[in-house]
Amino acid sequence: MTRAPPATRRPIRRLDAATVERIAAGEVVERPASVVKELVENALDAGASTVSVRIEEGGLARIEVADDGQGIPETELPLAVERHATSKLDPAGPVDRIESLGFRGEALAAIGSVSRLRIVSRTPDREEASSLTVEGGTVGRRAPAGRSIGTTVEVRDLFFNTPARRKFLRSAAAEQVEVVATIERLYLARPDVTYRVRGAERELAVYPAATSLRDAATRVLGPSLLRESFEVEGEIPGGRLAGTLGRPATAASSSRGLHFSVNGRTVASRPLTQAVRAAFGDYLPRSRFPVGVIAFEFASDRIDVNVHPTKREVRFVRERDLAERVRVLVRESLLSAPAVAEVVGSSTLPPTSRGRAAFPASRARDRPAPTPVGRQRSLSTPPDAPESRLVPAEGPHPKLELIGCVGAIYWVAESEDGMVLIDQHAASERVVYEALRRNGALSRQTLMSPVLLPLSGAQRAALQAHGSAVRAAGFDVDEFGPDTYRIRSVPAYRGRMARPEALGELLTELAEGGRPTIPDGLQERTAASIACHAAIRAGDLVERETFARVLEALHQLPEASYSCPHGRPIQVRLPRSRIDRWFLRSGT
Ligand SMILES: Nc1ncnc2c1ncn2[C@@H]1O[C@H](COP(=O)(O)OP(=O)(O)OP(=O)(O)O)[C@@H](O)[C@H]1O
Ligand SMILES: [Mg+2]
């Protein structure tokens, strides 16, 4: 298919400066949030300790960013809005060692070419401030103005002269959400500064300067993250990292709740996101992502920030080694963090943090990250106790006395302070999984008489590819005839419930997962698949003694034993006090 050539052809001509400017602006200024990002970064580069952001109509009508930084000398104001003019690169120094957030000398020029911009700034050596305006790229005159030391940049009518771009923007509410999200990212990268965000009528959020990244993370990701988080810290090639991550139960449905900063700059990095996710392995359900923040500090020659027009992405020297190191560090921290339990009780946790309540309702839809903790837990809240919330609690495993089983799925047990409900599949799955991880294989039971099982082509292929994993799971299999295999032993964990057919199901899942097993150990996902299939199932009729053994094994696990390898909770505690309240027995 060919398109007809245009009827008339114009000769090639150089674009005029204003058009070049506007096209270039499109790379830096995509939407109100990107303006806010540039202006706040300028404030941070100027050494501000407080940055105040005001937005009207999601920033489409007006954005104002005021700081208490060092200001711009009056005579340099026209240069500040000129393209390729910057105070941040040392002409004598190397271009690839950038310590400041800005370095291109482009942001203000770009913003000024697609809006009505006004800068008011005062340096410490002056008694009064000066202002300068730019309208759609046309620079106005300097004029005296009043303000304290620092800089205020006001941006009105964004994209007034590029209507096509304006059409791509979302609603004011959605843009406002994005602006707040942008400030949150900046705060997590530079938590030593106070940020205020105001809408036309009211304060939207305040992020006070924090003394630790953990405090800042708590403010942004919610106090429940703090209660169910672990720290990660360590050396990486060329630098150090430190961060706070949520345990698997806090995982979100997108990767937006996972933040990275590199030398105080907020960055997105797919390899790092994948590394963190891989570290959680099968502790995370399939479509969930970890939440938290990790700050990296590198020598500036180890990274290249100049790879993206908005500097959202950086390139690392030896990125693969870095990602692998990150995975190992996160994995180690996750496994060595103290275990946390899910408990039903009268919680002191507010459902949302105070800052959060001020956000527009659309936030929850647009930004899944901060809320899933509450959302996910409420799934496990008994429906007849809508007011109760599950809260995490630290502590040793309670001694349990098994009472009985409900519906061949849940076990009821008595504990010292009330009762506990246990999911038989999740509990057994965790025990099997940990045993696999520890020993590399499960104990097996030999069948009195071998069982013949037909296998499909895909299952046979999976058996070839994952033979050692299948043996580790406790199955002894050999070929018996065309398409038929003989099973001599099955996993021992299910007691009398072991079904040779479970092998077929396991092979099907391994075939679909498609990952090869690595020779010197079981891959996490394979281990979780094996655990799932070797474990007691929901609906299996299990004898009390069998399940008591599972429970005992569960309680001997040092860590992470409150959720199954897929991240579902294993048990829910109901304290006596809670039950008393249901029956209106107060004060007992
Ligand atoms: N809030 C501010 N306080 C002090 N100086 C500022 C402020 N904003 C801008 N400037 C000055 O104006 C110059 C131009 O700013 P601009 O954001 O356009 O470019 P840059 O920050 O140097 O580089 P980049 O385009 O990468 O952001 C800066 O180099 C800085 O000297
Ligand atoms: Mg800048």
Side-chain angles (χ1 to χ4, degrees), residues 67 72 75 88 113 137 159 182 186 245-246 258 280 353 374 491 513 585:
D67 67 55
I72 307 173
T75 51
K88 300 174 191 176
S113 70
F159 301 133
T182 299
L186 287 159
L245 293 167
L258 183 58
F280 277 71
S353 71
R585 262 179 206 281

Side-chain angles (χ1 to χ4, degrees), residues 209-489:
T211 47
S212 73
L213 182 59
R214 188 178 166 78
D215 288 352
T218 308
R219 171 82 40 176
V220 172
L221 299 163
S224 37
L225 175 85
L226 179 76
R227 295 195 181 204
E228 237 183 295
S229 66
F230 61 95
E231 306 288 302
V232 53
E233 213 186 334
E235 306 282 335
I236 45 175
R240 277 195 71 72
L241 69 75
T244 298
L245 293 167
R247 303 186 134 273
T250 68
S253 57
S254 87
S255 62
R256 295 198 71 182
L258 183 58
H259 301 262
F260 300 111
S261 71
V262 173
N263 295 4
R265 174 191 305 279
T266 127
V267 298
S269 165
R270 195 186 268 264
L272 292 184
T273 304
Q274 280 168 349
V276 174
R277 195 141 191 260
F280 277 71
D282 279 309
Y283 285 92
L284 273 189
R286 240 161 234 165
S287 53
R288 300 236 140 212
F289 292 82
V291 297
V293 49
I294 301 182
F296 295 83
E297 287 295 336
F298 288 102
S300 49
D301 59 354
R302 301 281 308 194
I303 47 170
D304 179 6
V305 285
N306 202 2
V307 294
H308 194 268
T310 62
K311 309 166 198 143
R312 254 308 257 158
E313 281 173 29
V314 298
R315 195 175 288 146
F316 302 99
V317 177
R318 300 184 49 198
E319 192 159 73
R320 275 180 179 214
D321 296 349
L322 172 68
E324 176 54 17
R325 178 74 183 133
V326 169
R327 188 190 70 76
V328 168
L329 278 177
V330 172
R331 181 85 189 160
E332 282 169 0
S333 309
L334 170 67
L335 294 182
S336 62
V340 207
E342 307 263 3
V343 184
V344 177
S346 52
S347 154
T348 51
L349 269 186
T352 51
S353 71
R354 250 190 306 139
R356 212 146 283 293
F359 297 152
S362 62
R363 185 188 170 92
R365 269 202 318 277
D366 290 349
R367 302 201 61 218
T371 40
V373 178
R375 228 190 281 145
Q376 202 186 26
R377 288 221 195 82
S378 62
L379 287 178
S380 2
T381 306
D384 58 339
E387 80 285 14
S388 65
R389 280 188 295 275
L390 293 175
V391 293
E394 310 264 349
H397 290 280
K399 265 232 143 332
L400 295 181
E401 189 67 43
L402 276 179
I403 295 169
C405 190
V406 181
I409 300 180
Y410 303 112
W411 286 81
V412 182
E414 182 172 8
S415 66
E416 247 163 43
D417 69 335
M419 71 187 242
V420 176
L421 288 172
I422 308 142
D423 180 311
Q424 71 179 27
H425 175 61
S428 156
E429 197 177 4
R430 167 58 73 196
V431 168
V432 176
Y433 179 78
E434 294 295 339
L436 258 179
R437 249 181 16 99
R438 257 196 325 274
N439 310 328
L442 294 180
S443 51
R444 59 193 64 215
Q445 51 176 329
T446 307
L447 296 171
M448 300 264 273
S449 46
V451 173
L452 296 183
L453 191 73
L455 293 180
S456 71
Q459 288 171 329
R460 286 200 306 274
L463 183 59
Q464 290 217 319
H466 303 283
S468 60
V470 168
R471 263 190 306 282
F475 290 105
D476 271 333
V477 198
D478 55 21
E479 210 169 334
F480 187 71
D483 307 350
T484 305
Y485 285 72
R486 181 170 50 189
I487 304 176
R488 296 168 178 280
S489 81

Side-chain angles (χ1 to χ4, degrees), residues 428 432 442 473 475 491-494 502 529-537:
S428 156
V432 176
L442 294 180
F475 290 105
Y493 275 84
R494 304 181 58 191
S529 292
I530 292 172
C532 182
H533 287 276
I536 296 168
R537 298 243 148 149

